[in-house]
Amino acid sequence: MKPTFQYMRNRFIDESERIFLIESAMNDGAVPHNHQFFEIVYIRCGKGLHLLNDATFQVSSGDLFVIKPEDTHAILPLTDSRQPFEWVNVLFLPEFIDFDIAPLASKQKYLGTDGFEVDFILRTMYREFKEKQYGYLEKLRGYLSVLLTEMVRLTGQGMEKTDYGDIRKRELVKQAAAWVKEEFQQPIRLEEAASRLGISASYLSKLFRQRFGISFVQFLNRYRLEVSCGLLQTTRTPIRHIALDCGFSDEKYYRLYFQRLMGMSPGAYRRKYSTKALET
């Protein structure tokens, strides 16, 4: 596949920062291209095709991959306006971070993830990049290091052995996490999730604790909380509606849970991180 054009580094990246983050959505495909920087692409929602050099991959919510400067690629959404195709790009110059990126990009260009840690890291990075508070570049460098390390783990590099049992466990957790991301607005029970996968509730709970160090219910509620943070930042929707829209049983429980995990109230979070402050 030959590139139609090349993105120059100065089109996106400020030389004083050497990193750029963008959240995007589209229904039309991008033309084949390459660029003068490294790119991390994370599919937040939707399905599509990723054309990478001479290969084609299906991509969907939770998938993550690295594009290096000499790669030619394009993304073709397979969704419509009812299910938008959304993704996050992290563009950075190799000198931004002291991390051996080349082996990661060349050995494994396509990575599937359960989405939870990656999505949280990228949301945090995007907020830091947009706000540009004191020390934001150092924080971005640290978060990027965490993200790249997580990607190395997901490829299985550095592991002596990955047997079928381990692969099966990761796939079960990935499927359960994907279902949570699709149905989080509805009442969800551990037993129902386990039944869908054909395993016991206790085994699914064990898998989540092994993978994340938290229970299935904690994973669910933290994802709901994460989505609510995005709504607090970007909309003027009343907090009581956000609580219910994100699957929390009532506003009181949501406020208490938010305070416990975030160290501030939803209203305080909105006032601090959103330009669309709403009286609460």
Side-chain angles (χ1 to χ4, degrees):
M1 180 172 60
K2 294 183 178 180
T4 302
F5 62 93
Q6 183 181 63
Y7 284 119
M8 307 301 286
R9 56 193 281 172
N10 60 3
R11 177 172 179 176
F12 296 103
I13 302 175
D14 188 315
E15 291 293 333
S16 67
E17 293 181 318
R18 294 177 293 179
I19 187 171
F20 181 83
L21 281 84
I22 185 171
E23 296 180 330
S24 306
M26 69 177 182
N27 292 317
D28 299 322
V31 298
H33 62 276
N34 57 24
H35 29 65
Q36 297 180 321
F37 41 79
F38 282 94
E39 176 182 11
I40 294 174
V41 182
Y42 172 67
I43 308 301
R44 181 160 283 162
C45 70
K47 297 180 180 180
L49 295 177
H50 184 214
L51 284 58
L52 179 62
N53 299 325
D54 296 322
T56 300
F57 304 101
Q58 292 186 356
V59 296
S60 60
S61 175
D63 285 339
L64 176 75
F65 38 95
V66 175
I67 311 299
K68 56 185 179 179
E70 59 265 33
D71 287 328
T72 297
H73 77 122
I75 295 178
L76 305 176
L78 297 178
T79 55
D80 54 34
S81 58
R82 293 172 297 178
Q83 185 185 21
F85 187 79
E86 299 178 359
W87 75 99
V88 182
N89 293 100
V90 181
L91 317 177
F92 62 98
L93 303 180
E95 58 266 30
F96 177 72
I97 186 171
D98 183 16
F99 195 100
D100 190 6
I101 304 162
L104 176 65
S106 61
K107 292 181 180 179
Q108 183 71 55
K109 293 188 179 72
Y110 178 80
L111 302 162
T113 82
D114 50 62
F116 186 67
E117 297 108 319
V118 172
D119 200 75
F120 181 81
I121 291 170
L122 287 170
R123 286 182 186 276
T124 305
M125 289 181 68
Y126 184 75
R127 186 173 69 243
E128 286 289 336
F129 182 75
K130 296 296 287 185
E131 293 178 355
K132 300 187 188 303
Q133 296 186 22
Y134 174 79
Y136 76 99
L137 287 176
E138 288 304 314
K139 293 192 71 173
L140 285 173
R141 194 171 287 110
Y143 286 127
L144 181 58
S145 178
V146 171
L147 180 61
L148 291 169
T149 300
E150 178 68 11
M151 294 174 74
V152 171
R153 289 181 177 179
L154 290 167
T155 65
Q157 294 179 27
M159 298 181 182
E160 294 182 0
K161 181 180 179 182
T162 302
D163 59 24
Y164 176 78
D166 292 331
I167 295 173
R168 172 62 176 162
K169 289 177 182 179
R170 289 202 299 269
E171 184 61 26
L172 287 170
V173 172
K174 180 180 178 180
Q175 291 179 29
W179 183 64
V180 164
K181 294 177 72 173
E182 291 176 0
E183 303 292 334
F184 70 93
Q185 294 174 302
Q186 309 301 322
I188 292 180
R189 298 173 60 248
L190 170 64
E191 291 75 15
E192 183 181 0
S195 177
R196 285 174 172 267
L197 297 172
I199 59 177
S200 69
S202 60
Y203 183 58
L204 180 59
S205 182
K206 179 181 178 180
L207 290 179
F208 266 78
R209 288 193 178 279
Q210 288 176 341
R211 179 68 180 87
F212 302 112
I214 57 176
S215 70
F216 175 84
V217 173
Q218 288 173 315
F219 177 93
L220 168 62
N221 283 333
R222 290 188 186 186
Y223 183 74
R224 286 169 168 165
L225 185 73
E226 181 183 325
V227 174
S228 79
C229 286
L231 294 174
L232 288 169
Q233 292 176 50
T234 60
T235 75
R236 294 178 59 86
T237 304
I239 291 174
R240 62 181 179 278
H241 292 166
I242 288 178
L244 297 177
D245 289 346
C246 290
F248 289 97
S249 56
D250 59 69
E251 181 186 357
K252 181 179 179 181
Y253 174 75
Y254 169 67
R255 287 181 178 274
L256 290 173
Y257 186 76
F258 195 102
Q259 180 73 44
R260 187 165 76 248
L261 266 70
M262 303 300 292
M264 66 180 77
S265 69
Y269 182 91
R270 168 173 270 164
R271 290 189 292 273
K272 183 174 182 178
Y273 294 114
S274 175
T275 59
K276 301 177 181 179
L278 181 69
E279 198 68 27
T280 56

